[in-house]
Amino acid sequence: MSRQTLTAILPQKAEAVLLTSPHNLRYFTGFSGGEGVALLCEDGGYLFVDSRYTTQALEETTDVTVIEIHAKNREEILQKHLSPLKSIGYEEGQLTVGAFDGFLKFAPKSDWIKLSQDLEELRMVKTEEELNCLRRAEAIGAEAFLAVLPQIKIGVTENEIAAEIEYQMRKRGSSGTSFETIVVSGYKSSMPHGKPDYKKIENGDFVTMDFGCVYQGYCSDMTRTVAVGSITKEQETIYQTVKEAQVQGLSTIRAGVLGKEADFAARKVIEDAGYGAYFGHSLGHGVGLLIHELPNLSPRSETVLKPNMVVTCEPGIYIPKLGGVRIEDMVCVTEDGIENLTQVPKDLLIL
Ligand SMILES: [Mn+2]
């Protein structure tokens, strides 16, 4: 991945920007080692890494100077490069207070400027190279889900299903999960982010599976809910309502639409069906190097969607004690609609 440009914020907002988070290091320098300090200015900059990463950093970066640091020279090197700067942008959303203090001492008189939001905005519109990673990541999740479906039956535990999903993703090229796999069944499916445990699948359960993998640094995200055994008329109504809301949300997403407009379109379906009180979260979020990034599809989001933004569309209805349903696709925004990266059927599946 070649280095993405920082010229939208440098040098107007700061003379240089200090990066330490793995995703921003990767995005703005190409270095995927996860641990290092980058100090970037308009026309290049430095990447400080320890000896574990020197070879990798030299291989992966092109327009930054890689400097190896170790315990003895670290302070001296950071002092030398940070102290002359008048203003330094930093990731206030990523650094701990302790880590920030550790950098601040090298340039106590400089202006330290919070740039987390700006950096995240720069990552919103994906390049074709990034889109290919996201497409493949989502395809891995879809293939894994289809492979695991036959194993979902009465008596199997949530833990077993979660383990199978992760195993199937790993076998297909995933380097890990993009978040903790959610498999919740029966009454537990009313917890949108519940954790899988030893609960066994029972007759009449909804089973909600929300999971994702990481492929070449990029995250995937999808949710499907299936039913097991015989379900009630109300469960069927809940499922069809969520599905209709999800389809409405998807059909609203396109370039030029505000995040909140997509949220509204889906939410209206659920409200009109009388379940508005049971859909508490936002419709969706951006996905990229992080599982949750901009733009948000929330009731308050004023972000104008642009081509090549990648977002999720994931309405749900969650009724305490009874259960819940969520259906989530990950899509790429296009000029006149979407490219749906989640090629998995969403009709009610009763196993
Ligand atoms: Mn999601």
Side-chain angles (χ1 to χ4, degrees):
M1 193 79 53
S2 58
R3 180 180 164 222
Q4 306 296 326
T5 180
L6 273 163
T7 50
I9 52 176
L10 297 178
Q12 313 88 282
K13 297 211 170 183
E15 200 178 335
V17 60
L18 178 86
L19 302 177
T20 53
S21 65
H23 53 281
N24 279 334
L25 285 174
R26 185 171 192 139
Y27 191 82
F28 294 106
T29 74
F31 173 60
S32 69
E35 208 176 318
V37 177
L39 188 62
L40 305 178
C41 44
E42 199 185 0
D43 52 358
Y46 298 92
L47 175 62
F48 308 106
V49 293
D50 68 59
S51 63
R52 292 173 299 168
Y53 298 108
T54 311
T55 305
Q56 184 182 351
L58 287 167
E59 274 174 14
E60 291 180 336
T61 62
T62 49
D63 48 8
V64 292
T65 306
V66 175
I67 295 184
E68 188 175 293
I69 53 171
H70 27 86
K72 277 187 190 156
N73 69 5
R74 183 178 187 275
E75 302 247 318
E76 189 190 322
I77 288 177
L78 290 176
Q79 173 85 42
K80 177 184 156 196
H81 288 94
L82 286 169
S83 63
L85 295 167
K86 288 193 179 61
S87 58
I88 304 165
Y90 72 102
E91 306 167 274
E92 83 283 3
Q94 305 293 330
L95 282 178
T96 63
V97 175
F100 177 68
D101 285 347
F103 290 115
L104 182 65
K105 69 180 181 196
F106 299 121
K109 298 212 172 93
S110 308
D111 288 332
W112 287 81
I113 296 157
K114 294 174 181 172
L115 288 181
S116 277
Q117 170 91 7
D118 297 76
L119 293 165
E120 206 174 328
E121 283 172 7
L122 287 178
R123 301 202 316 267
M124 278 199 299
V125 173
K126 270 63 184 177
T127 64
E128 198 52 41
E129 201 178 353
E130 292 184 284
L131 286 176
N132 283 332
C133 293
L134 289 161
R135 285 185 183 107
R136 183 63 201 138
E138 191 70 353
I140 288 171
E143 288 168 22
F145 174 71
L146 295 174
V148 172
L149 263 185
Q151 301 176 49
I152 302 172
K153 50 183 79 149
I154 293 167
V156 172
T157 68
E158 295 170 347
N159 273 342
E160 286 170 319
I161 297 170
E164 276 298 329
I165 292 171
E166 292 178 10
Y167 173 66
Q168 293 294 338
M169 292 196 296
R170 190 84 192 193
K171 278 218 296 192
R172 288 169 169 77
S174 147
S175 62
T177 56
S178 51
F179 57 93
E180 275 190 53
T181 303
I182 296 168
V183 176
V184 282
S185 63
Y187 69 94
K188 285 182 65 191
S189 60
S190 70
M191 294 182 275
H193 275 197
K195 281 185 194 302
D197 61 23
Y198 292 102
K199 182 189 172 303
K200 289 180 173 158
I201 308 301
E202 294 168 72
N203 182 41
D205 277 1
F206 272 136
V207 183
T208 297
M209 292 154 280
D210 184 352
F211 55 91
C213 73
V214 178
Y215 177 73
Q216 293 188 7
Y218 285 81
C219 296
S220 76
D221 197 1
M222 65 171 281
T223 307
R224 285 295 181 272
T225 301
V226 300
V228 178
S230 49
I231 60 165
T232 64
K233 200 91 205 103
E234 177 165 32
Q235 280 177 294
E236 173 130 20
T237 304
I238 291 169
Y239 190 92
Q240 298 307 345
T241 304
V242 172
K243 186 182 141 195
E244 197 192 326
Q246 209 261 353
V247 170
Q248 271 305 316
L250 289 178
S251 67
T252 309
I253 299 170
R254 71 183 61 224
V257 163
L258 302 177
K260 68 179 183 185
E261 292 175 314
D263 181 284
F264 177 79
R267 196 169 300 278
K268 186 170 187 315
V269 173
I270 291 174
E271 282 171 356
D272 288 352
Y275 290 106
Y278 303 104
F279 174 29
H281 58 75
S282 300
L283 179 66
H285 54 88
V287 186
L289 289 166
L290 292 185
I291 184 61
H292 292 132
E293 50 180 52
L294 295 173
N296 290 316
L297 304 185
S298 76
R300 291 163 308 283
S301 172
E302 302 283 343
T303 308
V304 180
L305 299 183
K306 292 195 185 120
N308 291 6
M309 286 181 175
V310 172
V311 295
T312 66
C313 178
E314 49 178 309
I317 295 175
Y318 315 93
I319 304 180
K321 296 196 177 80
L322 197 152
V325 172
R326 178 167 65 260
I327 303 171
E328 173 182 31
D329 288 346
M330 191 168 104
V331 306
C332 176
V333 178
T334 65
E335 215 48 82
D336 52 6
I338 54 167
E339 172 194 346
N340 195 329
L341 309 187
T342 314
Q343 294 299 318
V344 178
K346 62 186 75 157
D347 288 334
L348 176 58
L349 199 56
I350 303 176
L351 303 171

